[in-house]
Amino acid sequence: MKHHKWIAAVLAGASTTTMAQTLPAFDQRLELGLELGRAEQALSHRDVDNQIDETDEGYRVFASYYFTPMVAVRAGYADLGSVTFLDESFREDYLNLNVEQLSDESSPKAITVGGVFSLPIDQIPFVFALEFGLMHWNLDYEATFITTPDGGVTQRETRTYSSSDVGFYGGGNLSYQFTPAFGVGLSALWYVLEPEIDGDNGFEMVVQTLNLQLFMRF
């Protein structure tokens, strides 16, 4: 019976040693990353049933600190693209003028601070993570109106509206670690903004991003 106890103790020690060799120490807590891809802006108004949406390229740079392999805090800066919701020209017979350009352009940006909750980052190459938190967003919205009256001079009117506030963002990503220090992934995030345009605060904008993600850990 005593021999059995000694054998069990030796096996337990060998198993612990093997696990320690298989699972590397969690010592790479700082992460720097870049997301680059597609940003779709969808703008709607509470008094109108439909919405308009356009897509542009966007990016985000971020830094994360992992308290454990599963929990981190992440701060980032996101450029959510610049889209033109309206861009048209037409003839206005009643006013006897040509509308050379009627356009609305939207350019949102955001500073994000959130939590990241993932599977252990140092045990398996594939990692699924959820991220959500708060953001401070800023939206520049420009409306341009260019007209030429019959027999008159072309007139250009540009109005720029800027608004900012605090909102929510969230999403997830699936990544693959080639080494403990380097990995790539796919990230999908949603940003919710409530901008004020031309004194009207009834707008809502949802920006959906789908990005390729690159990151390094130190």
Side-chain angles (χ1 to χ4, degrees), residues 201-213:
N201 59 3
F203 291 95
E204 180 182 71
M205 177 181 291
V206 178
V207 184
Q208 177 184 349
T209 63
L210 181 61
N211 295 322
L212 173 65
Q213 185 184 81

Side-chain angles (χ1 to χ4, degrees), residues 39-55:
E40 180 183 21
Q41 301 180 30
L43 182 66
S44 60
H45 194 278
R46 62 190 176 196
D47 295 331
V48 181
D49 292 334
N50 63 334
Q51 68 177 25
I52 51 177
D53 56 84
E54 294 291 342
T55 302

Side-chain angles (χ1 to χ4, degrees), residues 35-209:
E35 294 174 341
L36 180 65
R38 168 182 174 273
E40 180 183 21
Q41 301 180 30
L43 182 66
S44 60
H45 194 278
R46 62 190 176 196
D47 295 331
V48 181
D49 292 334
N50 63 334
Q51 68 177 25
I52 51 177
D53 56 84
E54 294 291 342
T55 302
D56 191 25
E57 295 178 353
Y59 70 88
R60 182 176 71 145
V61 292
F62 62 85
S64 312
Y65 182 83
Y66 281 85
F67 298 100
T68 74
M70 300 178 66
V71 179
V73 62
R74 175 172 293 169
Y77 170 80
D79 186 318
L80 302 175
S82 180
V83 305
T84 301
F85 285 123
L86 175 67
D87 188 8
E88 60 182 23
S89 60
F90 54 90
R91 168 71 183 179
E92 178 55 69
D93 292 326
Y94 180 76
L95 299 176
N96 295 319
L97 58 81
N98 292 316
V99 178
E100 310 293 345
Q101 181 181 358
L102 179 63
S103 64
D104 286 8
E105 184 176 330
S106 166
S107 303
K109 298 175 177 60
I111 296 175
T112 62
V113 178
V116 181
F117 306 92
S118 64
L119 296 176
I121 65 173
D122 59 346
Q123 296 184 21
I124 57 176
F126 286 100
V127 178
F128 176 74
L130 294 176
E131 177 184 354
F132 52 88
L134 295 173
M135 65 172 176
H136 183 273
W137 56 264
N138 182 81
L139 175 68
D140 291 326
Y141 198 92
E142 183 177 280
T144 301
F145 190 50
I146 302 176
T147 60
T148 304
D150 291 346
V153 179
T154 298
Q155 299 178 347
R156 178 189 182 98
E157 181 180 3
T158 300
R159 296 181 181 179
T160 301
Y161 311 100
S162 182
S163 61
S164 62
D165 203 350
V166 175
F168 297 95
Y169 83 100
N173 70 79
L174 178 65
S175 61
Y176 179 85
Q177 284 187 240
F178 292 99
T179 69
F182 174 73
V184 300
L186 288 175
S187 170
L189 293 173
W190 287 261
Y191 303 81
V192 180
L193 296 68
E194 295 182 350
E196 180 179 320
I197 302 173
D198 195 14
D200 188 344
N201 59 3
F203 291 95
E204 180 182 71
M205 177 181 291
V206 178
V207 184
Q208 177 184 349
T209 63

